[in-house]
């Protein structure tokens, strides 16, 4: 058994429709049109807050999936959803995805500053560069910009956003009714940015937000993605299948963060985890099997073929993947997930049908099927062995899978002293153990 690591782990829940398993919506208990039902998201956020989670998270991609026959495909705009969730929760952090390729820094910095004000300091931004031609064609482009260029734009985007979030000093607003002075213009600092991708003159039209700036989250695991995360991310979502891979990723990120001159303790690494919790191992397995039986392999094959850049005819359900697959360097969209899927299939010599079943619960994220005790054991093992600082929980079915995790797994983690019994702070940064950033335009008086 490994030695106990000091500290406590962090839990985010990835809210995704009625669950991450691709068949979740077909279960008798599931509402197949919950994707536009704010009460559904509200219920999930309230359950997660009862479980003292650090945060909830919403993914996003500015396009309609090509396969709406296969699963629920409506997606409400995530920052709009977060404002609704902010009004029905008090403590839990609220993270939304937004693309640096298909937004402008001014609009987006304003939107996240607004969510941070509305939630009293609970906003987080999952920074993505969005892959694929379909999204590009919604924004006047023929194809997605190349991977490297998307990350170069993302770096400049974040730099501008940081300037905008600092463009008001904390004490700019004086609101002196007697003198008739509302704000101090000397404490406004225009972004004055001229770069390769953006020209932004002004200061933001929203005062500095409670957290100073939202929590910055990143989820790309390719070379460019890791380099970007090392510079900017405060939490990293990642998909890792085995303890050894996760430890390698953790070690690599820690080294990169230190090399970038930052404290690695200030970056929380959160691999995805799809729990299927039963009262016994066999009950959990029956639940997982029931979900897998609802997968339509022909549909799933189309999706797999597109991820692997193959024609569907090249995949045979009862054979292994073909030998002549592209290299990661040839993939322009989701490089790291491509490699994860190919490695998984090769390592375990899976047929296409078996691979589809393995991807069904969480699209390549690690699935744990078992009792609350065995799932807590595995989480602790990864935490103690520096494969994770916590987890991005992706219940196969929601709300039931989240509820059972909160009611059965969380108390075990609390009894072992590795998860909070209650919130200690009130902002998202405080939940993740991060300080409020100084304003770059204000001299640090302690050093004068
Ligand atoms: C948990 C998780 C959530 C993600 N959410 C989104 C998302 O909402 N939108 C998106 O475009 N990409 C999302 N991604 C994909 C990554 O941001 C990234 O684009 C992808 O891993 C490809 O980047 P890479 O080529 O650097 O690995 C997510 C990835 C992970 C692991």
């Amino acid at each position: 058994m490994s030695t106990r690591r000091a500290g406590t782990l962090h839990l985010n829940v990835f809210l995704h429709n009625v669950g991450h398993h691709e068949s979740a919506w077909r279960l008798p208990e599931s509402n197949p049109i919950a994707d536009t039902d704010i009460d559904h998201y509200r219920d999930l956020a309230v359950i997660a807050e009862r479980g003292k989670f650090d945060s909830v998270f919403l993914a996003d991609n500015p396009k309609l999936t090509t396969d709406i026959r296969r699963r629920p495909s409506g997606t409400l705009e995530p920052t709009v959803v977060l404002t609704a969730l902010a009004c029905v929760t008090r403590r839990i952090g609220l993270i939304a995805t937004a693309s640096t390729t298909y937004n402008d820094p001014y609009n987006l910095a304003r939107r996240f500053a607004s969510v941070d004000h509305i939630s009293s300091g609970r906003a987080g931004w999952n920074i993505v560069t969005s892959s694929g031609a379909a999204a590009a064609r919604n924004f006047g482009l023929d194809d997605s910009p190349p991977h490297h260029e998307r990350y170069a734009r993302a770096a400049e985007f974040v730099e501008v956003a940081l300037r905008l979030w600092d463009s008001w000093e904390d004490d700019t607003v004086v609101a002196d009714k007697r003198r008739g002075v509302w704000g101090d213009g000397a404490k406004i600092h225009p972004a004055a940015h001229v770069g390769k991708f953006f020209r932004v003159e002004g200061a933001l039209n929203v005062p500095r937000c409670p957290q100073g700036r939202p929590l910055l989250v990143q989820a790309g695991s390719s070379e460019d993605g890791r380099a970007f995360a090392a510079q900017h991310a405060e939490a990293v979502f990642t998909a890792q299948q085995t303890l050894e891979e996760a430890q390698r990723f953790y070690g690599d990120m820690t080294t990169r963060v230190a090399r970038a001159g930052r404290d690695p303790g200030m970056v929380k690494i959160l691999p995805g985890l799809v729990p299927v919790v039963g009262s016994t191992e066999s009950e959990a397995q029956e639940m997982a099997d029931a979900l897998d039986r609802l997968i339509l392999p022909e549909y799933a094959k189309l999706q797999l073929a597109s991820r692997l850049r193959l024609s569907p005819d090249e995949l045979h359900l009862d054979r292994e993947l073909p030998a002549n697959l592209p290299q990661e360097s040839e993939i322009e969209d989701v490089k790291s997930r491509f490699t994860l899927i190919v490695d998984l299939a090769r390592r375990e010599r899976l047929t296409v049908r078996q691979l589809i079943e393995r991807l069904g619960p969480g699209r390549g994220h690690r699935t744990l099927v078992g009792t609350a005790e065995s799932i807590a054991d595995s989480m602790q093992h990864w935490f103690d062995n520096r494969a994770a600082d916590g987890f991005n929980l992706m219940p196969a079915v929601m709300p039931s899978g989240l509820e059972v995790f909160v009611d059965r797994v969380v108390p075990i983690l609390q009894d072992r002293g590795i998860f909070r019994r209650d919130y200690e702070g009130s902002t998202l940064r405080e939940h993740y153990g991060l300080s409020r950033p100084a304003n770059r335009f204000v001299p640090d008086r302690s050093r004068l």
Side-chain angles (χ1 to χ4, degrees), residues 304-358:
L304 180 63
S306 131
R307 272 233 190 256
L308 300 178
R309 291 282 167 275
L310 297 174
S311 114
D313 310 338
E314 292 173 87
L315 292 179
H316 299 277
L317 285 174
D318 295 310
R319 286 195 218 146
E320 291 182 31
L321 293 181
N324 58 333
L325 293 175
Q327 298 295 310
E328 186 185 283
S329 56
E330 297 166 56
I331 302 290
E332 276 300 331
D333 42 24
V334 186
K335 284 177 183 285
S336 51
R337 197 64 61 82
F338 167 86
T339 304
L340 179 147
I341 292 171
V342 174
D343 285 354
L344 170 67
R346 299 263 195 256
R347 187 173 58 239
E348 301 192 22
R349 307 212 52 194
L350 301 174
T351 63
V352 168
R353 191 186 300 279
Q354 290 166 328
L355 180 59
I356 284 170
E357 281 181 4
R358 292 292 293 276

Side-chain angles (χ1 to χ4, degrees), residues 59-60 97 128 147 151 219-222 237 333-337 392:
D60 196 45
T97 297
V128 300
H147 195 265
Y151 274 103
S221 289
S222 64
F237 294 150
D333 42 24
V334 186
K335 284 177 183 285
S336 51
R337 197 64 61 82
N392 179 24

Side-chain angles (χ1 to χ4, degrees), residues 14 57-62 97-99 126-131 147 150-151 218-226 237-239 270 272 328 331-337 363 365 392 394:
F14 182 167
F57 157 68
L58 294 165
D60 196 45
N61 213 325
T97 297
S99 171
N126 177 37
I127 307 166
V128 300
T129 66
S130 304
S131 55
H147 195 265
R150 292 202 308 273
Y151 274 103
Q218 211 273 338
S221 289
S222 64
E223 181 58 35
D224 289 331
R226 292 182 196 205
F237 294 150
T238 179
L270 310 173
E328 186 185 283
I331 302 290
E332 276 300 331
D333 42 24
V334 186
K335 284 177 183 285
S336 51
R337 197 64 61 82
R363 304 175 299 284
H365 288 272
N392 179 24
M394 303 170 54

